[in-house]
Amino acid sequence: MATAAGVLAAPVPAVPALTPGRAAAAEEGATPAPGPAPAPAAASSSVPGIVKPLPAEWFVPRGTNAETRWDAFRDADGDAVVGRHVPVERFFVRNHTSTPLIDPDTWRLRLFGSGLRGGPTAEHPVEFGLEELRELPSTRISALIECAGNGRSYYAGQQGQPVPGTPWTLGGVGSASWRGVRLAEVLRAAGLTGAAVDVLPVGLDPDYVVGGTNYGPVRRPLPIAKALDDVLLAYEMNGEPLTPDHGAPARLVVPGWVGIASIKWVGSLEVADRPLYSPWNTDFYRMFGPDYPPGGGEPLTTQVVKSAFELAAGARLAAGRRHRLHGRSWSGAAAVRRVEVSADGGRTWRRADLRDEPRADGWTRWGIDWRPERPGRYELRARATDRRGNTQPERAVFNREGYLFGAVVAHPVTVV
Ligand code: MTE
């Protein structure tokens, strides 16, 4: 049944796995050691509420979410299959509830509030349909989306500090090319005034209900300065219309900030001449704990520096030969300009070769040779520094919800 907001239905169950295609080999990588043959492609993992197939060799299901596997960036021979942008089929999904199916023809974006000329109300908002948005000047940007909880499992795994919430390893991140209209353009077209302070995008997904509390639809206020700076109201991802799981027909893309800012399936934008609040900038996505103010820190904004190897945890590598290790590093604050790698528990570090000109709108890909002589268990570490001098520390400062784990991650491998 179509509602006024154009929401057609709850999501359809995930369809069975397609065998993922392999892109052309791009370069030599860390070749797996001889050993037991990899298990045949398993059926799609099923995550209630996610529409797209989730082949087990690309994703790890995590509650209502799906984490991209870092070994899905390379094929079985170690050749790159993901370039600067992650294909939509392999992009991680973070849903508080479930993906709504929204009819793009009847969908309307509704703007109202005291920060717009004439103060339109929620009952009589300024409206745009998708075609009207497409008629506004369009922009294409590259940007990462990364969950604030990405890396959360390492608070327990590396620091002995268990935290609740989705136990992401490092796959709650992806980079894509986004096309849409600058939020500034939409706000101005709707009659933005100089009095506006906050913008509140509201998602059309089902209400978020936990422990008997209904927090309402997913929504998080955005300060007007950021909204007017570089935020995009996107309707395309990697050159195609947005797919249901990633926010169709339109979502925000808020570069450099925690993923919760990039509200999917936007139905309305309240523009107010006073600060706005929702559970997503008061209860959630703030830092609480002994090293933070008693009432909690400021609402989270910029992402921290992180690095990941394009390898499975526990990958097996052959002794006595050279391996090319590949990875990526990124930061919400600035381009990553230096990456160092250690294979001896952090005692010695070598500079990795950067494969990208450091850029603020994405990750920096890198590679380094490693020749382990003796069989055994090793831990690989990568540590990145961005252009503002932010470097990954040995330990992340604990916070109760396990947000922003930016410490160096120990990546286990077995040399045989
Ligand atoms: N928007 C809505 N409406 N509902 C959500 O659950 N999740 C947020 C954000 N936008 C969410 C949302 C979070 S926490 C993240 S990390 C990103 O969407 C994930 O975007 P993706 O699923 O396209 O990767």
Side-chain angles (χ1 to χ4, degrees), residues 91-97 145-148 172 178 202-205 218 237 245-247 251 258-265 285:
F91 208 96
F92 85 102
V93 181
R94 162 69 175 122
N95 280 354
H96 279 70
T97 59
I145 303 278
E146 183 182 13
C147 194
W178 308 93
V202 182
L204 292 170
D205 37 342
V218 177
M237 182 177 181
D245 295 312
H246 298 292
R251 75 175 299 169
V258 287
I260 185 59
S262 295
I263 294 292
K264 305 193 273 190
W265 316 293
Y285 297 99

Side-chain angles (χ1 to χ4, degrees), residues 214-272:
N214 185 340
Y215 292 95
V218 177
R219 61 202 189 284
R220 190 182 203 239
L222 191 60
I224 193 72
K226 182 68 173 173
L228 295 181
D229 179 16
D230 57 357
V231 177
L232 195 69
L233 179 65
Y235 43 72
E236 282 182 14
M237 182 177 181
N238 294 345
E240 301 288 337
L242 282 179
T243 56
D245 295 312
H246 298 292
R251 75 175 299 169
L252 293 191
V253 174
V254 181
W257 281 29
V258 287
I260 185 59
S262 295
I263 294 292
K264 305 193 273 190
W265 316 293
V266 189
S268 65
L269 293 168
E270 178 179 357
V271 186

Side-chain angles (χ1 to χ4, degrees), residues 18 54 93 97 105 112 120 139 155 167 172-173 183 185 191 196 221-222 246 268 283 310 355 360 387 393 396:
L18 303 171
L54 301 171
V93 181
T97 59
D105 296 330
F112 59 91
T139 307
Y155 278 105
V173 62
L183 183 56
E185 194 83 47
L222 191 60
H246 298 292
S268 65
D283 300 357
E310 296 174 7
R355 289 187 42 225
R387 281 210 164 120

